Amino acid sequence: MTAEGHIPGIDTTKPHSARMYDYYLGGKTHYEADVQAAEAVIATVPFAGAMARANRDFMIRATRWLVTEAGVRQFLDIGSGIPTAPNLHQVAQAEAPEARVVYTDNDPIVLQYAQALLHSTPEGRTAYLQADAAKPETILDSDELRSTIDLTEPVALSVNALFHFVPDEWGPYEILGGLLDRLPSGSYLCLSHATSQIDDPELAALGREVEEIYAKGGTSLRLRDRSEVARFFDGLELVEPGIVMAHEWRPEPGAETELKEGQPSMLAGLARKP
């Protein structure tokens, strides 16, 4: 099922990474071009949908840990994507109703559906900001963020499945550094990233094919190896078990994964700013 109607600012003739991700997760907010590109990825990597769900489940577990174990009550989710239940604020506020969350994205279709991100508990608050992650100051200096989050108190910065869409020439490490520099000590970084660090040579080759599929649709996809992903955490204190595949990060006892042995998801990690 695909989205209907025309939304200003959206080119429905070209696939978009957020709408493709929605398709992988079984959502409804996508168009035929997104379906065709996503199906081309699935034809290449049949477990792409399982990878997306593993990444989503990592966000849920990491958010719950941040609230219950680290005591975090403020979240900044950059590249939030199309709303998919449970959204980050629903996970956080289920544990701490007073939690506050700011979502940001630069895709007009996310703005169209952002109301789903604003159903906060009475004790907490959520806000949505349409902004470009490549310009951190437009996020951190915005009225929406300043009226929702206190930047003198710890904030969990969530950038899940975002930076593999930021090519090297844009300065991904500098972008993230510009965000983290403005957050106080005791803040956290929660990051997941598509990786080329795959033991199976055949799967690694398929990853390069996926990069080409995204490129044909006009989206840069930059798979990075473990050392390149680890660089995003430079200067931070990694939470155990460190940087691992998303489905291996503190899995729930007894939980089963759709991924078979040897199949990757995304590299993921959580770290504290000292």
Side-chain angles (χ1 to χ4, degrees):
M1 184 174 181
T2 57
E4 297 179 356
H6 176 71
I7 300 173
I10 294 177
D11 184 351
T12 62
T13 66
K14 294 181 179 180
H16 189 283
S17 58
R19 303 194 299 265
M20 291 171 65
Y21 191 68
D22 175 76
Y23 181 80
Y24 298 143
L25 292 174
K28 300 179 180 178
T29 311
H30 45 261
Y31 297 90
E32 185 58 31
D34 308 308
V35 173
Q36 291 179 2
E39 283 292 346
V41 171
I42 292 170
T44 304
V45 182
F47 52 93
M51 292 172 64
R53 287 184 287 274
N55 180 67
R56 190 77 186 174
D57 290 343
F58 161 71
M59 180 279 291
I60 292 171
R61 295 194 305 277
T63 299
R64 191 176 293 126
W65 186 92
L66 285 162
V67 175
T68 60
E69 300 295 328
V72 174
R73 295 295 183 268
Q74 301 188 119
F75 294 81
L76 173 56
D77 185 8
I78 299 181
S80 54
I82 294 165
T84 303
N87 293 299
L88 189 151
H89 74 280
Q90 293 169 317
V91 178
Q93 292 178 347
E95 304 292 343
E98 72 276 20
R100 294 180 165 228
V101 179
V102 173
Y103 294 101
T104 78
D105 207 291
N106 66 347
D107 185 356
I109 201 168
V110 179
L111 176 63
Q112 182 75 11
Y113 292 91
Q115 281 301 119
L117 300 174
L118 303 178
H119 295 161
S120 173
T121 58
E123 302 93 332
R125 186 169 180 182
T126 64
Y128 177 79
L129 170 66
Q130 188 167 10
D132 188 347
K135 301 175 181 177
E137 68 282 357
T138 65
I139 297 172
L140 296 169
D141 294 332
S142 69
D143 291 339
E144 290 89 344
L145 184 137
R146 292 306 183 100
S147 64
T148 307
I149 286 179
D150 180 358
L151 290 179
T152 67
E153 296 292 331
V155 176
L157 172 62
S158 177
V159 285
N160 290 313
L162 171 65
F163 276 97
H164 48 241
F165 294 119
V166 180
D168 294 337
E169 56 266 29
W170 290 9
Y173 302 107
E174 291 76 12
I175 291 171
L176 183 61
L179 291 163
L180 288 171
D181 286 348
R182 297 280 298 275
L183 300 183
S185 175
S187 293
Y188 284 82
L189 169 66
C190 180
L191 178 147
S192 63
H193 194 295
T195 181
S196 59
Q197 192 79 36
I198 301 170
D199 294 333
D200 187 329
E202 291 186 9
L203 286 179
L206 294 180
R208 291 188 288 273
E209 290 184 30
V210 171
E211 285 181 317
E212 293 174 3
I213 292 170
Y214 275 87
K216 288 178 181 177
T219 297
S220 174
L221 176 65
R222 169 69 160 86
L223 304 183
R224 293 185 170 94
D225 64 26
R226 184 176 293 273
S227 65
E228 290 174 308
V229 173
R231 186 178 165 190
F232 286 109
F233 294 95
D234 281 356
L236 306 178
E237 300 168 351
L238 279 165
V239 173
E240 289 295 334
I243 302 170
V244 295
M245 290 297 176
H247 61 286
E248 297 173 345
W249 195 91
R250 295 177 178 254
E252 301 288 348
E256 295 183 1
T257 175
E258 300 174 69
L259 296 166
K260 297 179 181 179
E261 185 175 353
Q263 291 179 338
S265 49
M266 296 187 191
L267 284 177
L270 183 66
R272 181 181 182 273
K273 181 178 179 180

